[in-house]
Amino acid sequence: MPLLRLPGLIDPHVHLREPGLTHKEDLFTGTCAALAGGFTTVLDMPNTIPPTSTAERLAAKTRLAAAQAVCDVGFFVGATNDTDPSLVAAAGAGACGLKIYVSETFGSLRIDDLATLAAYFAAWQGPGPIAVHAEDVMLAACLTLAEVYNQRLHVVHVSLKSEIELIRQAKTRGQHVTCEATPHHLYLTQADLQRLGPYGDMRPALATESDRQALWDNLDIVDCIATDHAPHTRPEKESDNPPPGVPGLETALPLMLLAVHEGRLTMDDLIAKMHDNPRRIYNLPPQPDTFIEVDAEARYDFPASGWQTRAGWSPFAGMPAHGRVQRVVLRGREVYDEGRVLAAPGSGQVIGELATV
Ligand code: NCD
Ligand code: ZN
C-alpha cells in the first residue's frame, strides 16, 4: 500500500458546537472527526450558545478545549447585534479572527445593517483578519468596508460565480482579500437536493452547475479549502424546520485527493489550500513533528455510517472517495491509527491560549 505523507491539515472553518449545542457535536467528538479527516488544526466559529463574543467567553471556550480537544484548535470571536464592538475587538489577541455573519445563517449572529457593520470594521484591531459570511451583493458591501477601514478580509465559503469573479477583480487591483471554498460547493449543486433533501441544505445553499464550475475554473483565486463542518442531528434534519449545515471534516481530503487524481488540482495546490495558506492567513504557529499518512490509492464509496462526528451522517455517502487517512502524528505522538483515535482528551493545544487565560 503506497503511503503518502502530508503535513497535518488545517481547516479554517468548523462548528464544534460547544458550549450549548453539544447534542450535535462537542470539542472532543469534533476534534476526533478532525483527526480522522487528517486535520491537526481546526478553527472554530463563534455561533455557539452563548456566542463567543467577549474575552470572558473566549477564555471559557479555551478552558473547555484545553480539557477535551485531541487536535489543536483556534477560536473566532463573533460580532453580535448587542455587544459593543470594542468589547469584541478587545478579545482579538486571543482569537484567530473576527467572524461576521452578514447573510442568512444558523443561529442569531446575523448583522446586516450598515451602521453596525461599519462599527465592527472600524473597531477591529486584529491581529487576525475579519472573516465574513457575505453572499451575493453583501460581498461587495464587505469588500468596500474592508477597503474603507483598511482591514484584511477573508471571505468564507464562496459559492457563486459572481462572487469568485468579484474577488478575482479585488485581488487583481491589490486589495488584501483572501477566500475559501467548501468541498460541498465544489462537488454538489441544487440538482442534488432531490436526492439529499434536508441533508443537502446549508448556507450558502447549493448553487447551479455554472456556479460550481466557476469555483473549479477560478481555483487559483481560492486560498483555502474549508469544510464549514456544521453538524446537526438526523432528527433535527428530518424535523419540520431543519437547520442548515452539513458535516465535512471526514470527507474533505478524499474529495480533494479525487480532484488531484482527476487532474483538476495538483498535489502542491492541495497542500497550499489545506495547509500553507490557512497557516499564513491566520498566522498559526508551526506544529513540529506533525504529519499524516494517507493510503493514496484507496478507492471506495463514502459509507453511510461509522463517522467520528456525533452527527453520524454525511451528504457524500455513496459518492466516490480517493485516499484514506491511515495515521496521524501530532508533535511526535501517534494520535490516530486506522480508524482509532489514540489521543487523550485535552492533548490538543489551544491556539492563542496564553493571550486569553
Ligand atoms: C452553519 C451552522 O450550522 O452553524 N450552517 C451552515 O449552513 N453553514 C452556520 C454557517 O456557517 O453559516
Ligand atoms: Zn460556518
Side-chain angles (χ1 to χ4, degrees):
M1 171 175 64
L3 278 185
L4 171 71
R5 188 181 274 216
L6 296 175
L9 304 177
I10 300 170
D11 187 346
H13 188 154
V14 301
H15 300 265
L16 300 184
R17 306 299 194 202
E18 191 163 356
L21 296 162
T22 52
H23 63 287
K24 301 175 193 280
E25 193 82 286
D26 63 35
L27 285 156
F28 178 69
T29 58
T31 51
C32 285
L35 290 182
F39 295 95
T40 54
T41 304
V42 293
L43 303 184
D44 176 67
M45 288 295 167
N47 63 340
T48 44
I49 300 176
T52 324
S53 54
T54 62
E56 289 71 32
R57 289 180 180 177
L58 182 59
K61 227 183 201 191
T62 296
R63 283 191 290 271
L64 291 170
Q68 291 191 65
V70 292
C71 74
D72 292 359
V73 186
F75 293 115
F76 283 89
V77 285
T80 84
N81 283 297
D82 50 16
T83 318
D84 183 335
S86 64
L87 259 185
V88 181
C96 55
L98 168 67
K99 175 71 183 286
I100 311 182
Y101 292 88
V102 187
S103 299
E104 189 197 313
T105 180
F106 170 72
S108 62
L109 294 188
R110 182 176 182 183
I111 290 171
D112 59 1
D113 73 283
L114 179 57
T116 313
L117 272 181
Y120 273 102
F121 273 83
W124 183 246
Q125 313 240 332
I130 298 180
V132 288
H133 171 180
E135 297 180 37
D136 200 67
V137 79
M138 283 306 199
L139 172 61
C142 287
L143 283 165
T144 299
L145 286 166
E147 193 82 327
V148 167
Y149 290 100
N150 198 23
Q151 294 284 2
R152 195 151 66 85
L153 191 73
H154 179 75
V155 183
V156 304
H157 43 48
V158 174
S159 67
L160 301 178
K161 181 169 192 273
S162 54
E163 293 167 357
I164 195 68
E165 287 178 352
L166 182 61
I167 293 169
R168 178 180 289 284
Q169 292 303 323
K171 282 191 177 193
T172 303
R173 68 186 287 282
Q175 185 165 0
H176 201 158
V177 55
T178 53
C179 70
E180 66 189 38
T182 69
H184 47 267
H185 292 114
L186 286 164
Y187 278 91
L188 302 172
T189 67
Q190 288 161 0
D192 293 290
L193 284 175
Q194 257 189 344
R195 184 171 59 81
L196 292 170
Y199 294 100
D201 183 32
M202 78 291 287
R203 297 294 172 274
L206 292 174
T208 66
E209 177 56 25
S210 144
D211 291 309
R212 189 186 76 87
Q213 190 55 49
L215 294 182
W216 287 105
D217 293 344
N218 291 282
L219 216 51
D220 60 320
I221 290 298
V222 175
D223 299 277
C224 311
I225 300 296
T227 67
D228 190 14
H229 179 80
H232 297 286
T233 67
R234 281 180 188 272
E236 287 170 335
K237 279 296 199 183
E238 285 172 21
S239 71
D240 291 341
N241 192 14
V246 298
L249 278 166
E250 294 167 82
T251 45
L253 179 61
L255 288 167
M256 299 321 292
L257 285 172
L258 178 63
V260 172
H261 177 75
E262 290 174 342
R264 302 208 240 176
L265 175 79
T266 67
M267 190 63 83
D268 283 352
D269 288 339
L270 182 149
I271 295 168
K273 294 177 200 303
M274 299 183 83
H275 176 269
D276 304 348
N277 295 344
R279 187 175 296 297
R280 192 192 67 246
I281 291 165
Y282 291 104
N283 192 28
L284 303 173
Q287 293 175 309
D289 302 320
T290 298
F291 59 88
I292 67 173
E293 284 176 349
V294 182
D295 172 0
E297 293 310 313
R299 305 293 304 262
Y300 57 102
D301 290 343
F302 284 117
S305 60
W307 305 105
Q308 296 280 344
T309 172
R310 182 163 288 153
W313 57 274
S314 166
F316 296 106
M319 289 179 62
H322 196 105
R324 181 180 271 123
V325 177
Q326 294 293 119
R327 206 161 80 92
V328 179
V329 173
L330 175 56
R331 282 183 284 277
R333 279 235 185 107
E334 189 172 71
V335 288
Y336 178 87
D337 183 45
E338 302 206 15
R340 285 177 311 133
V341 174
L342 306 174
S347 57
Q349 292 185 357
V350 181
I351 296 158
E353 187 172 21
L354 295 177
T356 55
V357 176

